[in-house]
Amino acid sequence: MPDVSSKPVQRALQNAQEFVSDVAHQYQCMKDFGEQTRLEGRMNDLASEFEQEMTRRLGFARGHELSFYDRDGRLKESALNTFVRNYEGKFRELKGSFVSQEEAARFGARQQDVMRRLQGRASELMLKGQIQESRQAFEEGLKGDLDRGDYITAKGRYVQAHQAGIITETAMRNGISRVDKSGALHHFKNLAATNPGGAYDLLWSEEYRNKFSPAELEEMRRGLAAGRDKASHDFFRSFVLTVPESSNKKKRANELAQSGNYTAQEIRWGVFMQAGRGGEVIDEIRAAAIAEARAFNPSLSDEGMELAREKYIDKYLGRYESAGITKEFLNRQWSEAEKIRKTLKTPDLDVDSRLYLLEKRGLLLNQGAFNAENQPYSNKEGWESGGKFRDEFMGQLGLTGTEDAEKARDKYMAYARAVHADGLRAQIKERFNFWRTTEGKEATQAEQQVKLISLTREITGNSNVSFEDEGPSLMDQAREWSYRAQQNKFDVWKAKQGEVVELSGTQQQEPLQRVSVGFDTTRKDLPDGILLPRSMMEGVREGEDAVVLTYDNKHLKVACVVGVCDGDTPQLTYAAARRGKYNLNESYELDMRILRESEARPLLEAQEAAVPAGKAVKLKNETNLKGLLPYKQAFMDSGQKYGVDPKLLIAISMHETGKGTSAAFLRKNNAMGISPNGGGPRAFSSVEESIDYAARMLRKHYLDQGLTTIAAIGGKYAPAGAGNDPRGLNKHWIQGVSRYYDSL
């Protein structure tokens, strides 16, 4: 070996030593990193296992051998501590073989930290379980309260849950609001079953207007009306009197045409229908139905559009179903039109009327194309030369070939022009409708007309197309008049029930006047009738004379004049609206005629007889009432008066008095077991007075407070252990009253 003491050799040895030291350090780091990773993974697995096992044992029922709670809900601290120490031991058993003492110490510190936090994590999971259990108990209790109709307890439960930190203040307020709403709805439904008039009054109270949206109130009102008359719940159902139709059909058709309520085309369809030839005009009817479905009125609300849809379907189905019009077809046309309507921002131009006008003036014609199509038949010789094309049209026109050639050719040419115009009309409408639903969504009618003129000139090649000489709005005005006439004409609300009263000619002497009839919302003390503006009261005797209203020149409603109203339009009284459960916010365009008392009296009597009567109240097993039977009507009247189910009143009385045999009933006229604390049964001047008192008390202190079931009422009306129940009979109250209630 050379001399190791030389400087080059010393440097080489030093470099080698540093290299070996670096390699050894890298090996040490790699080994310690792998061990650290392995132990960290194992600790994570143990932590996850701890939480899962803890959660599982918290799910056991209290008192179970693996539960941390005993049967009384007390924490078994020894069981919890044993569980935690068991896992502390599992963590302690984790040992690592580290090269570096520093890494070993770091892992040991991490291990001790995890073990220290096990007890805290266990407490956290325990608290989380308790919160979840409390929330579940709250929700189950709340559901029970609502199922029983115990709304007072439900509201108190929300407050307690907030105080316990189970729910937020916002959740508490929203929950109480929902409970109030549910209670109000429950009260409304109970009242609707026993006192519909009182239920109707609720809908116009400030309380219900604050609790429910206008749509919800309208739905509740319609439900009341549907209960009154299951066939329909609309205002026009009350038009039960009718004018007889003329026996002379031809005269009747002329009268209809002159009235403006029926178009010439519709009368023609009617003639075909009566002759059993509806199939010959079905295509025209379908085309008219499609066009009418697409008619657009942007001022109508969603509810208005739905009503328009019902009227549309009833119109075509009622008149043309036998000809082949189906409800599916009409629904499809309306749905397709609805998609278009929803994209448009402005009313539609009356395109059909304008194109029809052009056709009448001979301008809906592409002269070059028409001549090219019909050149072979432009003269007598060409027509006589025949051919397949001519023969085909002869068949369509019903020609046999024996007709005069000149007349036959003229007939063909007129038909060809109509077919040609139909083709151009279809092209123009298709192009216009595409533009309308894309670029022209917000176009005014004037802008639509400019576009229609442009398209018509382009497709017909006729630069003279114009509507200016007819006036841009003339056809739209005519269309509006026609639309109003259609509203009057088609009897959407056919009065299918009730008697029919013929209106004689002498009763039609007073002139008709068009009026907008609404409802008075202020004077609720007025009887069923109508209020007239001062301008209409000249010569009218209040309380004696009446008016007859009609919406289609056929169906009538008579209303006695009971007072004067402000403004310029007549108003039906609140009692009239209440009787029919009508919407006070609505108004109706009607024809009105004033009738003298002598003319009105028989009509009012007939109308009263024709209006659908409410259901008669009848109890089954009436003999079971025994001593209470003579007071059946008193129970009915008090129930109606306060909106309390009469059956409930009777059932309570049957239980409290032993069916009218108790001393309190026989000696003190106490039919309802009214007994103040600290005293015996209360005395009343009459049985009827005691029934009225109990009904008023049940309404104010029970039903209005959300206690609407027999169980909920019994807990307050006859609580177990009460001072006025020395023999402990109240515990049988709920069962007894329920049994009697079910027997009625």
Side-chain angles (χ1 to χ4, degrees), residues 98 140 169 246 306 364 424 510:
F98 293 97
E140 290 176 354
E169 182 178 358
S246 171
E306 180 60 24
L364 197 59
L424 293 180
E510 290 290 337

Side-chain angles (χ1 to χ4, degrees), residues 499-707:
E499 299 177 9
V500 174
V501 178
E502 297 186 0
L503 195 63
S504 67
T506 60
Q507 293 169 315
Q508 302 183 43
Q509 294 176 356
E510 290 290 337
L512 273 175
Q513 50 186 318
R514 193 68 172 176
V515 293
S516 177
V517 178
F519 294 97
D520 177 75
T521 60
T522 56
R523 286 167 288 179
K524 296 185 178 181
D525 57 323
L526 293 173
D528 188 344
I530 194 168
L531 307 172
L532 294 183
R534 296 189 184 280
S535 59
M536 297 182 183
M537 285 295 291
E538 184 176 355
V540 177
R541 295 167 298 178
E542 185 177 318
E544 298 182 14
D545 295 340
V547 301
V548 59
L549 304 169
T550 177
Y551 68 97
D552 62 352
N553 297 327
K554 180 180 179 182
H555 294 95
L556 313 174
K557 178 181 179 66
V558 186
C560 185
V561 179
V562 296
V564 181
C565 63
D566 297 328
D568 301 322
T569 60
Q571 292 184 333
L572 290 165
T573 61
Y574 181 84
R578 190 176 190 263
R579 180 176 184 178
K581 289 46 170 207
Y582 308 131
N583 190 336
L584 293 175
N585 297 322
E586 292 287 344
S587 61
Y588 302 90
E589 295 294 321
L590 301 167
D591 291 318
M592 186 186 80
R593 180 183 289 111
I594 295 175
L595 297 180
R596 298 305 167 196
E597 189 271 342
S598 58
E599 299 171 331
R601 190 188 315 112
L603 290 176
L604 285 167
E605 292 173 355
Q607 178 174 266
E608 189 66 26
V611 169
K615 290 183 178 179
V617 178
K618 181 174 175 60
L619 293 173
K620 66 179 181 180
N621 304 326
E622 287 187 351
T623 55
N624 286 344
L625 271 63
K626 295 187 177 178
L628 299 176
L629 185 58
Y631 305 99
K632 183 186 74 170
Q633 193 58 46
F635 289 113
M636 301 294 179
D637 293 343
S638 294
Q640 291 281 331
K641 181 178 179 180
Y642 297 106
V644 179
D645 186 353
K647 284 206 311 179
L648 175 63
L649 294 173
I650 296 174
I652 292 174
S653 183
M654 292 174 75
H655 178 80
E656 291 283 356
T657 67
K659 301 180 182 178
T661 62
S662 71
F665 177 76
L666 296 173
R667 299 173 186 173
K668 296 187 176 183
N669 295 321
N670 191 327
M672 304 298 295
I674 304 298
S675 301
N677 281 325
R682 175 176 168 178
F684 291 89
S685 61
S686 67
V687 171
E688 290 82 358
E689 182 191 2
S690 75
I691 295 171
D692 184 88
Y693 175 86
R696 183 172 72 252
M697 181 183 64
L698 281 168
R699 163 52 56 203
K700 183 176 181 180
H701 298 294
Y702 291 79
L703 301 179
D704 286 349
Q705 300 300 321
L707 304 178

Side-chain angles (χ1 to χ4, degrees), residues 192-193 221-234 237 493-494 496-497 580-581 611-615:
R221 185 191 66 79
R222 287 180 178 273
L224 277 176
R228 172 185 58 85
D229 179 3
K230 293 186 181 302
S232 172
H233 48 244
D234 198 272
R237 178 61 66 185
W493 303 274
K494 294 286 186 183
K496 295 179 181 178
Q497 84 290 345
K581 289 46 170 207
V611 169
K615 290 183 178 179

Side-chain angles (χ1 to χ4, degrees), residues 10 46 144 193 257-258 322 352 413 457 488 554 620 716:
Q10 288 291 331
L46 277 176
Q258 292 170 6
S322 61
D352 285 316
M413 293 300 287
R457 288 176 176 177
N488 294 335
K554 180 180 179 182
K620 66 179 181 180
K716 182 177 179 181

Side-chain angles (χ1 to χ4, degrees), residues 146 151-152 154-155 173-187 207-208 211-212:
L146 296 178
Y151 301 105
I152 293 179
K155 291 195 288 185
R173 293 183 182 279
N174 291 340
I176 290 176
S177 177
R178 286 193 297 271
V179 170
D180 281 338
K181 191 171 180 178
S182 297
L185 183 59
H186 191 79
H187 178 199
E207 176 192 358
Y208 274 64
K211 279 188 172 71
F212 298 95

Side-chain angles (χ1 to χ4, degrees), residues 185-307:
L185 183 59
H186 191 79
H187 178 199
F188 168 79
K189 289 180 178 179
N190 282 343
L191 199 58
T194 58
N195 183 6
Y200 179 79
D201 293 338
L202 280 182
L203 300 183
W204 299 100
S205 67
E206 184 177 356
E207 176 192 358
Y208 274 64
R209 290 188 181 189
N210 291 335
K211 279 188 172 71
F212 298 95
S213 69
E216 290 171 327
L217 291 171
E218 175 65 11
E219 183 64 25
M220 293 157 75
R221 185 191 66 79
R222 287 180 178 273
L224 277 176
R228 172 185 58 85
D229 179 3
K230 293 186 181 302
S232 172
H233 48 244
D234 198 272
F235 170 69
F236 291 102
R237 178 61 66 185
S238 61
F239 285 63
V240 294
L241 308 183
T242 60
V243 178
E245 294 189 5
S246 171
S247 58
N248 187 322
K249 293 183 179 180
K250 185 174 182 180
K251 180 181 178 183
R252 180 63 179 160
N254 290 337
E255 290 173 352
L256 292 174
Q258 292 170 6
S259 71
N261 287 338
Y262 292 80
T263 65
Q265 184 185 45
E266 288 164 349
I267 293 173
R268 173 174 165 272
W269 292 344
V271 172
F272 272 81
M273 297 282 289
Q274 291 175 359
R277 297 167 57 192
E280 298 180 36
V281 292
I282 185 62
D283 289 340
E284 296 179 31
I285 298 172
R286 285 198 182 103
I290 293 171
E292 187 167 333
R294 196 178 182 280
F296 174 63
N297 185 347
S299 65
L300 288 178
S301 62
D302 289 344
E303 184 179 347
M305 291 304 291
E306 180 60 24
L307 181 59

